[in-house]
Amino acid sequence: MDKTYLRVHWWEIVLWLIGVAIIGRLSSLLAGDLRAIYNGFQLPPLAPPDYLFGLVWPVLYALMAIAGALIAHQPRTSAKKRLDYLLFSFQLFLNFCWSIVFFGQNEKWLGLAIILLLDLFVACLIARLYQPARWAAYLLMPYLIWILFATYLTVGVALLN
C-alpha cells in the first residue's frame, strides 16, 4: 500500500502550492488577456464558457502541487526520483509555455505541438508514478483529462481560425 502521503508535511504542500501557483499565474500574465482572446476565437462544439477556466485551473494546479510534494517523498532510488522530477518539471514548463504561445503569440499550430507533448509527458509521468506513488498518479489524472480536452479545443481553434 502506498503510504507516501503520510510523510508529507503541510508546509511542504504549501511551498509546492505557492510554486506551482506562481508558475501558472506568470504564464497567464505573459499570455495576455486570455478571456478576450478566447472569446475572439471561433470555438469548436463543446467549448466551455470562459469563466470555467478560472474555476478549473486553480484546482488542477493544487492537485499538481500536491502530486509534486508526493513525488518528493516517494520510495525510489535517487536516479528514478530525478527522472520523475524531470518529467514533472518538463510538463510544468510545457504547461507554462502553452498559454504564452497559443494565446499570447497567436501560434495555434505550435501551441498544438506543445500541448501534444504535454499530453504525452503527463501520461508518461502518471504511468511512472502509478506503482511507487499511486496517490500522485491519481492526483494527476484530472489534469490529464483536462489537457486532453484542451487538446481537442486547440485543434478546433486552430482549424476554425
Side-chain angles (χ1 to χ4, degrees):
M1 181 175 180
D2 179 16
K3 297 191 190 257
T4 302
Y5 62 92
L6 296 176
R7 293 188 297 270
V8 179
H9 300 285
W10 67 269
W11 56 268
E12 291 173 291
I13 293 173
V14 169
L15 290 176
W16 277 90
L17 286 168
I18 291 169
V20 171
I22 287 171
I23 291 168
R25 184 66 181 137
L26 185 58
S27 174
S28 176
L29 289 172
L30 293 173
D33 186 351
L34 296 175
R35 277 192 175 175
I37 297 167
Y38 178 79
N39 289 322
F41 289 146
Q42 186 173 353
L43 299 170
L46 305 177
D50 61 12
Y51 68 83
L52 188 62
F53 296 95
L55 300 173
V56 170
W57 274 110
V59 173
L60 294 176
Y61 282 134
L63 294 175
M64 266 194 281
I66 296 167
L70 293 174
I71 290 169
H73 287 277
Q74 65 178 312
R76 287 174 75 108
T77 65
S78 59
K80 288 182 179 181
K81 196 181 286 192
R82 269 195 302 273
L83 182 55
D84 295 341
Y85 274 129
L86 183 63
L87 286 171
F88 184 87
S89 299
F90 194 65
Q91 70 78 25
L92 195 56
F93 174 73
L94 289 169
N95 180 300
F96 172 83
C97 292
W98 181 81
S99 294
I100 297 167
V101 170
F102 187 80
F103 290 105
Q105 296 176 351
N106 198 29
E107 293 287 342
K108 295 172 192 70
W109 295 107
L110 181 56
L112 177 59
I114 291 170
I115 202 165
L116 287 170
L117 278 174
L118 178 61
D119 295 340
L120 179 65
F121 273 83
V122 173
C124 287
L125 182 60
I126 290 170
R128 277 187 59 80
L129 294 174
Y130 193 75
Q131 210 43 262
R134 189 163 294 181
W135 282 103
Y138 290 153
L139 290 170
L140 291 171
M141 287 178 187
Y143 173 47
L144 178 61
I145 292 166
W146 184 258
I147 61 173
L148 288 170
F149 179 62
T151 302
Y152 157 76
L153 294 174
T154 301
V155 169
V157 168
L159 290 171
L160 294 170
N161 295 275

Short mmCIF file of all heavy atoms in Angstrom, two decimals, residues 98-148:
data_model
loop_
_atom_site.label_atom_id
_atom_site.label_comp_id
_atom_site.label_asym_id
_atom_site.label_seq_id
_atom_site.Cartn_x
_atom_site.Cartn_y
_atom_site.Cartn_z
N TRP A 98 2.54 26.81 -23.09
CA TRP A 98 1.40 26.65 -23.99
C TRP A 98 0.55 27.91 -24.08
O TRP A 98 0.26 28.39 -25.18
CB TRP A 98 0.54 25.45 -23.58
CG TRP A 98 -0.60 25.30 -24.53
CD1 TRP A 98 -0.57 24.71 -25.76
CD2 TRP A 98 -1.92 25.81 -24.38
NE1 TRP A 98 -1.80 24.81 -26.37
CE2 TRP A 98 -2.64 25.49 -25.54
CE3 TRP A 98 -2.56 26.52 -23.37
CZ2 TRP A 98 -3.98 25.83 -25.71
CZ3 TRP A 98 -3.89 26.87 -23.54
CH2 TRP A 98 -4.58 26.52 -24.70
N SER A 99 0.13 28.48 -22.97
CA SER A 99 -0.72 29.67 -23.00
C SER A 99 -0.02 30.84 -23.66
O SER A 99 -0.65 31.60 -24.41
CB SER A 99 -1.14 30.08 -21.58
OG SER A 99 -1.96 29.10 -21.02
N ILE A 100 1.25 30.99 -23.39
CA ILE A 100 2.01 32.10 -23.97
C ILE A 100 2.07 31.96 -25.48
O ILE A 100 1.86 32.92 -26.22
CB ILE A 100 3.42 32.16 -23.35
CG1 ILE A 100 3.31 32.45 -21.84
CG2 ILE A 100 4.27 33.21 -24.05
CD1 ILE A 100 4.60 32.22 -21.08
N VAL A 101 2.36 30.76 -25.95
CA VAL A 101 2.49 30.52 -27.39
C VAL A 101 1.12 30.57 -28.07
O VAL A 101 0.94 31.26 -29.08
CB VAL A 101 3.18 29.16 -27.66
CG1 VAL A 101 3.09 28.76 -29.12
CG2 VAL A 101 4.63 29.20 -27.19
N PHE A 102 0.15 29.86 -27.52
CA PHE A 102 -1.16 29.74 -28.16
C PHE A 102 -1.94 31.05 -28.11
O PHE A 102 -2.46 31.51 -29.13
CB PHE A 102 -1.97 28.62 -27.50
CG PHE A 102 -3.26 28.32 -28.20
CD1 PHE A 102 -3.26 27.53 -29.34
CD2 PHE A 102 -4.46 28.81 -27.73
CE1 PHE A 102 -4.45 27.24 -30.00
CE2 PHE A 102 -5.65 28.54 -28.38
CZ PHE A 102 -5.65 27.74 -29.52
N PHE A 103 -2.02 31.66 -26.96
CA PHE A 103 -2.79 32.90 -26.81
C PHE A 103 -1.94 34.14 -27.07
O PHE A 103 -2.31 35.00 -27.86
CB PHE A 103 -3.41 32.99 -25.41
CG PHE A 103 -4.52 32.02 -25.18
CD1 PHE A 103 -4.33 30.90 -24.39
CD2 PHE A 103 -5.77 32.22 -25.73
CE1 PHE A 103 -5.35 30.01 -24.15
CE2 PHE A 103 -6.81 31.33 -25.51
CZ PHE A 103 -6.60 30.22 -24.72
N GLY A 104 -0.82 34.24 -26.36
CA GLY A 104 0.00 35.44 -26.44
C GLY A 104 0.65 35.68 -27.78
O GLY A 104 0.70 36.80 -28.28
N GLN A 105 1.16 34.62 -28.40
CA GLN A 105 1.84 34.75 -29.69
C GLN A 105 0.95 34.35 -30.88
O GLN A 105 1.39 34.45 -32.02
CB GLN A 105 3.12 33.92 -29.68
CG GLN A 105 4.12 34.41 -28.66
CD GLN A 105 5.34 33.52 -28.60
OE1 GLN A 105 5.41 32.44 -29.19
NE2 GLN A 105 6.34 33.97 -27.85
N ASN A 106 -0.25 33.89 -30.58
CA ASN A 106 -1.21 33.50 -31.60
C ASN A 106 -0.65 32.45 -32.56
O ASN A 106 -0.94 32.44 -33.75
CB ASN A 106 -1.71 34.72 -32.38
CG ASN A 106 -3.00 34.45 -33.13
OD1 ASN A 106 -3.80 33.61 -32.71
ND2 ASN A 106 -3.18 35.12 -34.24
N GLU A 107 0.16 31.56 -32.01
CA GLU A 107 0.76 30.46 -32.79
C GLU A 107 -0.01 29.18 -32.48
O GLU A 107 0.38 28.37 -31.65
CB GLU A 107 2.24 30.30 -32.42
CG GLU A 107 3.11 31.44 -32.84
CD GLU A 107 3.34 31.48 -34.34
OE1 GLU A 107 3.12 30.44 -35.02
OE2 GLU A 107 3.74 32.54 -34.85
N LYS A 108 -1.13 29.02 -33.16
CA LYS A 108 -2.03 27.92 -32.85
C LYS A 108 -1.43 26.54 -33.14
O LYS A 108 -1.60 25.61 -32.36
CB LYS A 108 -3.35 28.11 -33.59
CG LYS A 108 -4.11 29.33 -33.12
CD LYS A 108 -5.30 29.60 -34.00
CE LYS A 108 -5.89 30.97 -33.74
NZ LYS A 108 -5.03 32.06 -34.18
N TRP A 109 -0.74 26.39 -34.25
CA TRP A 109 -0.18 25.08 -34.61
C TRP A 109 1.01 24.73 -33.74
O TRP A 109 1.19 23.56 -33.36
CB TRP A 109 0.14 25.01 -36.10
CG TRP A 109 -1.12 25.11 -36.91
CD1 TRP A 109 -1.55 26.18 -37.65
CD2 TRP A 109 -2.15 24.12 -37.02
NE1 TRP A 109 -2.77 25.91 -38.21
CE2 TRP A 109 -3.17 24.65 -37.85
CE3 TRP A 109 -2.31 22.83 -36.51
CZ2 TRP A 109 -4.32 23.94 -38.16
CZ3 TRP A 109 -3.46 22.13 -36.83
CH2 TRP A 109 -4.45 22.68 -37.65
N LEU A 110 1.82 25.70 -33.40
CA LEU A 110 2.91 25.45 -32.45
C LEU A 110 2.32 25.13 -31.08
O LEU A 110 2.82 24.25 -30.37
CB LEU A 110 3.86 26.65 -32.38
CG LEU A 110 5.05 26.52 -31.44
CD1 LEU A 110 5.88 25.28 -31.77
CD2 LEU A 110 5.90 27.78 -31.50
N GLY A 111 1.25 25.83 -30.73
CA GLY A 111 0.54 25.53 -29.48
C GLY A 111 0.04 24.09 -29.47
O GLY A 111 0.10 23.40 -28.45
N LEU A 112 -0.44 23.63 -30.62
CA LEU A 112 -0.90 22.24 -30.71
C LEU A 112 0.26 21.27 -30.48
O LEU A 112 0.11 20.29 -29.75
CB LEU A 112 -1.55 21.97 -32.08
CG LEU A 112 -2.00 20.53 -32.32
CD1 LEU A 112 -3.02 20.08 -31.27
CD2 LEU A 112 -2.55 20.38 -33.73
N ALA A 113 1.40 21.55 -31.08
CA ALA A 113 2.57 20.69 -30.87
C ALA A 113 2.96 20.65 -29.39
O ALA A 113 3.27 19.58 -28.84
CB ALA A 113 3.75 21.17 -31.72
N ILE A 114 2.91 21.81 -28.73
CA ILE A 114 3.26 21.88 -27.31
C ILE A 114 2.28 21.08 -26.47
O ILE A 114 2.68 20.31 -25.59
CB ILE A 114 3.35 23.35 -26.85
CG1 ILE A 114 4.56 24.02 -27.49
CG2 ILE A 114 3.43 23.44 -25.32
CD1 ILE A 114 4.61 25.53 -27.31
N ILE A 115 0.99 21.24 -26.74
CA ILE A 115 0.01 20.54 -25.89
C ILE A 115 0.03 19.03 -26.15
O ILE A 115 -0.22 18.25 -25.24
CB ILE A 115 -1.40 21.15 -26.01
CG1 ILE A 115 -2.21 20.79 -24.77
CG2 ILE A 115 -2.10 20.74 -27.28
CD1 ILE A 115 -3.46 21.59 -24.56
N LEU A 116 0.36 18.62 -27.36
CA LEU A 116 0.51 17.18 -27.62
C LEU A 116 1.69 16.62 -26.82
O LEU A 116 1.60 15.52 -26.26
CB LEU A 116 0.68 16.91 -29.11
CG LEU A 116 -0.59 17.08 -29.95
CD1 LEU A 116 -0.25 17.03 -31.44
CD2 LEU A 116 -1.63 16.02 -29.59
N LEU A 117 2.78 17.36 -26.76
CA LEU A 117 3.92 16.94 -25.92
C LEU A 117 3.52 16.92 -24.45
O LEU A 117 3.90 16.01 -23.71
CB LEU A 117 5.11 17.89 -26.12
CG LEU A 117 5.99 17.66 -27.32
CD1 LEU A 117 7.04 18.77 -27.44
CD2 LEU A 117 6.67 16.31 -27.22
N LEU A 118 2.76 17.92 -24.05
CA LEU A 118 2.28 17.98 -22.66
C LEU A 118 1.45 16.75 -22.33
O LEU A 118 1.65 16.12 -21.29
CB LEU A 118 1.48 19.27 -22.43
CG LEU A 118 0.87 19.47 -21.06
CD1 LEU A 118 1.94 19.52 -19.97
CD2 LEU A 118 0.04 20.76 -21.04
N ASP A 119 0.53 16.39 -23.22
CA ASP A 119 -0.29 15.19 -23.02
C ASP A 119 0.61 13.97 -22.81
O ASP A 119 0.40 13.17 -21.89
CB ASP A 119 -1.18 14.92 -24.24
CG ASP A 119 -2.23 15.99 -24.48
OD1 ASP A 119 -2.56 16.75 -23.55
OD2 ASP A 119 -2.70 16.07 -25.63
N LEU A 120 1.60 13.83 -23.68
CA LEU A 120 2.50 12.69 -23.63
C LEU A 120 3.29 12.65 -22.32
O LEU A 120 3.38 11.60 -21.67
CB LEU A 120 3.46 12.73 -24.83
CG LEU A 120 4.48 11.61 -24.91
CD1 LEU A 120 3.79 10.27 -25.12
CD2 LEU A 120 5.47 11.89 -26.03
N PHE A 121 3.85 13.79 -21.93
CA PHE A 121 4.66 13.82 -20.71
C PHE A 121 3.83 13.56 -19.46
O PHE A 121 4.28 12.86 -18.55
CB PHE A 121 5.42 15.15 -20.60
CG PHE A 121 6.74 15.12 -21.31
CD1 PHE A 121 6.80 15.36 -22.67
CD2 PHE A 121 7.90 14.83 -20.64
CE1 PHE A 121 8.00 15.32 -23.35
CE2 PHE A 121 9.12 14.78 -21.29
CZ PHE A 121 9.17 15.03 -22.65
N VAL A 122 2.62 14.10 -19.41
CA VAL A 122 1.77 13.86 -18.23
C VAL A 122 1.35 12.39 -18.18
O VAL A 122 1.37 11.77 -17.11
CB VAL A 122 0.56 14.81 -18.22
CG1 VAL A 122 -0.41 14.45 -17.10
CG2 VAL A 122 1.02 16.26 -18.06
N ALA A 123 0.99 11.82 -19.33
CA ALA A 123 0.62 10.39 -19.36
C ALA A 123 1.80 9.52 -18.92
O ALA A 123 1.62 8.57 -18.14
CB ALA A 123 0.14 10.00 -20.75
N CYS A 124 3.00 9.84 -19.40
CA CYS A 124 4.20 9.08 -19.00
C CYS A 124 4.47 9.24 -17.51
O CYS A 124 4.83 8.26 -16.84
CB CYS A 124 5.41 9.53 -19.80
SG CYS A 124 5.38 8.98 -21.51
N LEU A 125 4.30 10.44 -17.00
CA LEU A 125 4.53 10.68 -15.57
C LEU A 125 3.54 9.88 -14.73
O LEU A 125 3.93 9.24 -13.75
CB LEU A 125 4.41 12.18 -15.27
CG LEU A 125 4.67 12.60 -13.82
CD1 LEU A 125 6.07 12.22 -13.38
CD2 LEU A 125 4.44 14.10 -13.67
N ILE A 126 2.28 9.88 -15.12
CA ILE A 126 1.27 9.10 -14.39
C ILE A 126 1.64 7.62 -14.41
O ILE A 126 1.58 6.94 -13.38
CB ILE A 126 -0.13 9.34 -14.97
CG1 ILE A 126 -0.61 10.75 -14.64
CG2 ILE A 126 -1.13 8.31 -14.45
CD1 ILE A 126 -1.87 11.19 -15.36
N ALA A 127 2.02 7.11 -15.57
CA ALA A 127 2.39 5.70 -15.68
C ALA A 127 3.60 5.37 -14.80
O ALA A 127 3.62 4.34 -14.12
CB ALA A 127 2.69 5.35 -17.14
N ARG A 128 4.59 6.26 -14.77
CA ARG A 128 5.79 6.03 -13.95
C ARG A 128 5.47 6.07 -12.46
O ARG A 128 6.08 5.36 -11.68
CB ARG A 128 6.85 7.09 -14.23
CG ARG A 128 7.69 6.82 -15.43
CD ARG A 128 8.82 7.82 -15.52
NE ARG A 128 9.70 7.83 -14.36
CZ ARG A 128 10.68 6.97 -14.12
NH1 ARG A 128 10.90 5.98 -14.97
NH2 ARG A 128 11.44 7.07 -13.05
N LEU A 129 4.55 6.93 -12.08
CA LEU A 129 4.25 7.11 -10.66
C LEU A 129 3.26 6.11 -10.11
O LEU A 129 3.12 5.98 -8.90
CB LEU A 129 3.71 8.53 -10.42
CG LEU A 129 4.66 9.68 -10.66
CD1 LEU A 129 3.93 11.01 -10.53
CD2 LEU A 129 5.85 9.62 -9.71
N TYR A 130 2.56 5.41 -10.98
CA TYR A 130 1.45 4.57 -10.52
C TYR A 130 1.89 3.54 -9.48
O TYR A 130 1.20 3.33 -8.50
CB TYR A 130 0.76 3.89 -11.70
CG TYR A 130 -0.54 3.28 -11.28
CD1 TYR A 130 -1.65 4.10 -11.04
CD2 TYR A 130 -0.66 1.92 -11.07
CE1 TYR A 130 -2.84 3.55 -10.62
CE2 TYR A 130 -1.86 1.36 -10.64
CZ TYR A 130 -2.94 2.19 -10.42
OH TYR A 130 -4.12 1.65 -10.00
N GLN A 131 3.03 2.93 -9.65
CA GLN A 131 3.48 1.93 -8.70
C GLN A 131 4.10 2.54 -7.43
O GLN A 131 3.68 2.21 -6.34
CB GLN A 131 4.47 0.98 -9.39
CG GLN A 131 4.49 -0.43 -8.87
CD GLN A 131 3.12 -1.02 -8.60
OE1 GLN A 131 2.69 -1.02 -7.47
NE2 GLN A 131 2.45 -1.54 -9.61
N PRO A 132 5.07 3.43 -7.55
CA PRO A 132 5.73 3.91 -6.34
C PRO A 132 4.97 5.01 -5.59
O PRO A 132 5.15 5.17 -4.39
CB PRO A 132 7.07 4.46 -6.85
CG PRO A 132 6.76 4.90 -8.23
CD PRO A 132 5.76 3.91 -8.75
N ALA A 133 4.15 5.78 -6.29
CA ALA A 133 3.45 6.91 -5.65
C ALA A 133 2.05 7.02 -6.26
O ALA A 133 1.73 7.98 -6.95
CB ALA A 133 4.24 8.20 -5.82
N ARG A 134 1.24 6.03 -5.98
CA ARG A 134 -0.07 5.91 -6.61
C ARG A 134 -0.94 7.15 -6.41
O ARG A 134 -1.65 7.56 -7.31
CB ARG A 134 -0.77 4.67 -6.06
CG ARG A 134 -2.03 4.34 -6.81
CD ARG A 134 -2.46 2.95 -6.53
NE ARG A 134 -1.45 2.06 -7.10
CZ ARG A 134 -1.50 0.75 -7.05
NH1 ARG A 134 -2.50 0.17 -6.47
NH2 ARG A 134 -0.56 0.02 -7.58
N TRP A 135 -0.88 7.74 -5.22
CA TRP A 135 -1.72 8.93 -4.97
C TRP A 135 -1.29 10.09 -5.85
O TRP A 135 -2.13 10.87 -6.31
CB TRP A 135 -1.71 9.31 -3.49
CG TRP A 135 -2.62 8.41 -2.71
CD1 TRP A 135 -2.27 7.37 -1.92
CD2 TRP A 135 -4.05 8.45 -2.72
NE1 TRP A 135 -3.39 6.76 -1.42
CE2 TRP A 135 -4.50 7.41 -1.89
CE3 TRP A 135 -4.99 9.26 -3.35
CZ2 TRP A 135 -5.85 7.15 -1.68
CZ3 TRP A 135 -6.34 9.01 -3.12
CH2 TRP A 135 -6.75 7.98 -2.30
N ALA A 136 -0.01 10.23 -6.09
CA ALA A 136 0.46 11.28 -7.00
C ALA A 136 -0.11 11.04 -8.40
O ALA A 136 -0.56 11.98 -9.07
CB ALA A 136 1.98 11.33 -7.03
N ALA A 137 -0.10 9.79 -8.84
CA ALA A 137 -0.66 9.45 -10.15
C ALA A 137 -2.15 9.77 -10.19
O ALA A 137 -2.64 10.36 -11.16
CB ALA A 137 -0.41 7.98 -10.46
N TYR A 138 -2.87 9.41 -9.15
CA TYR A 138 -4.31 9.69 -9.09
C TYR A 138 -4.58 11.20 -9.16
O TYR A 138 -5.52 11.63 -9.82
CB TYR A 138 -4.94 9.14 -7.82
CG TYR A 138 -5.05 7.64 -7.74
CD1 TYR A 138 -5.06 7.01 -6.51
CD2 TYR A 138 -5.13 6.84 -8.87
CE1 TYR A 138 -5.17 5.64 -6.41
CE2 TYR A 138 -5.23 5.47 -8.78
CZ TYR A 138 -5.25 4.87 -7.54
OH TYR A 138 -5.36 3.50 -7.45
N LEU A 139 -3.77 11.96 -8.45
CA LEU A 139 -3.97 13.41 -8.43
C LEU A 139 -3.71 14.06 -9.78
O LEU A 139 -4.26 15.13 -10.07
CB LEU A 139 -3.08 14.05 -7.36
CG LEU A 139 -3.47 13.74 -5.91
CD1 LEU A 139 -2.39 14.22 -4.96
CD2 LEU A 139 -4.81 14.36 -5.57
N LEU A 140 -2.88 13.44 -10.59
CA LEU A 140 -2.58 13.99 -11.92
C LEU A 140 -3.60 13.57 -12.99
O LEU A 140 -3.62 14.14 -14.08
CB LEU A 140 -1.17 13.58 -12.35
CG LEU A 140 -0.04 14.22 -11.55
CD1 LEU A 140 1.30 13.59 -11.92
CD2 LEU A 140 0.00 15.72 -11.76
N MET A 141 -4.44 12.61 -12.70
CA MET A 141 -5.40 12.13 -13.69
C MET A 141 -6.43 13.17 -14.13
O MET A 141 -6.70 13.29 -15.33
CB MET A 141 -6.05 10.83 -13.22
CG MET A 141 -5.11 9.66 -13.30
SD MET A 141 -5.88 8.15 -12.68
CE MET A 141 -4.47 7.05 -12.72
N PRO A 142 -7.01 13.96 -13.21
CA PRO A 142 -7.93 15.01 -13.67
C PRO A 142 -7.24 16.03 -14.58
O PRO A 142 -7.83 16.53 -15.54
CB PRO A 142 -8.43 15.67 -12.38
CG PRO A 142 -8.20 14.66 -11.32
CD PRO A 142 -6.99 13.87 -11.74
N TYR A 143 -5.98 16.31 -14.27
CA TYR A 143 -5.17 17.22 -15.09
C TYR A 143 -5.02 16.65 -16.50
O TYR A 143 -5.20 17.35 -17.49
CB TYR A 143 -3.83 17.42 -14.39
CG TYR A 143 -2.77 18.18 -15.13
CD1 TYR A 143 -3.03 19.39 -15.76
CD2 TYR A 143 -1.46 17.70 -15.16
CE1 TYR A 143 -2.03 20.10 -16.41
CE2 TYR A 143 -0.45 18.40 -15.79
CZ TYR A 143 -0.75 19.59 -16.42
OH TYR A 143 0.25 20.29 -17.05
N LEU A 144 -4.69 15.36 -16.59
CA LEU A 144 -4.55 14.73 -17.91
C LEU A 144 -5.86 14.79 -18.68
O LEU A 144 -5.87 15.13 -19.87
CB LEU A 144 -4.07 13.29 -17.78
CG LEU A 144 -3.93 12.52 -19.09
CD1 LEU A 144 -2.91 13.18 -20.01
CD2 LEU A 144 -3.55 11.07 -18.82
N ILE A 145 -6.96 14.50 -18.01
CA ILE A 145 -8.27 14.56 -18.68
C ILE A 145 -8.54 15.97 -19.19
O ILE A 145 -8.97 16.16 -20.33
CB ILE A 145 -9.38 14.08 -17.72
CG1 ILE A 145 -9.23 12.59 -17.46
CG2 ILE A 145 -10.77 14.41 -18.29
CD1 ILE A 145 -10.04 12.07 -16.28
N TRP A 146 -8.25 16.98 -18.37
CA TRP A 146 -8.49 18.36 -18.78
C TRP A 146 -7.59 18.77 -19.95
O TRP A 146 -8.06 19.42 -20.89
CB TRP A 146 -8.29 19.32 -17.60
CG TRP A 146 -8.62 20.72 -17.97
CD1 TRP A 146 -7.75 21.72 -18.26
CD2 TRP A 146 -9.92 21.30 -18.13
NE1 TRP A 146 -8.41 22.88 -18.57
CE2 TRP A 146 -9.76 22.64 -18.50
CE3 TRP A 146 -11.22 20.79 -17.99
CZ2 TRP A 146 -10.83 23.49 -18.74
CZ3 TRP A 146 -12.29 21.64 -18.22
CH2 TRP A 146 -12.09 22.97 -18.59
N ILE A 147 -6.32 18.41 -19.92
CA ILE A 147 -5.45 18.83 -21.02
C ILE A 147 -5.77 18.05 -22.30
O ILE A 147 -5.54 18.57 -23.40
CB ILE A 147 -3.94 18.80 -20.67
CG1 ILE A 147 -3.46 17.40 -20.30
CG2 ILE A 147 -3.63 19.83 -19.59
CD1 ILE A 147 -1.96 17.29 -20.10
N LEU A 148 -6.29 16.84 -22.18
CA LEU A 148 -6.75 16.14 -23.38
C LEU A 148 -7.95 16.88 -23.99
O LEU A 148 -8.05 17.03 -25.20
CB LEU A 148 -7.11 14.68 -23.06
CG LEU A 148 -5.92 13.76 -22.78
CD1 LEU A 148 -6.40 12.42 -22.23
CD2 LEU A 148 -5.06 13.58 -24.02
#
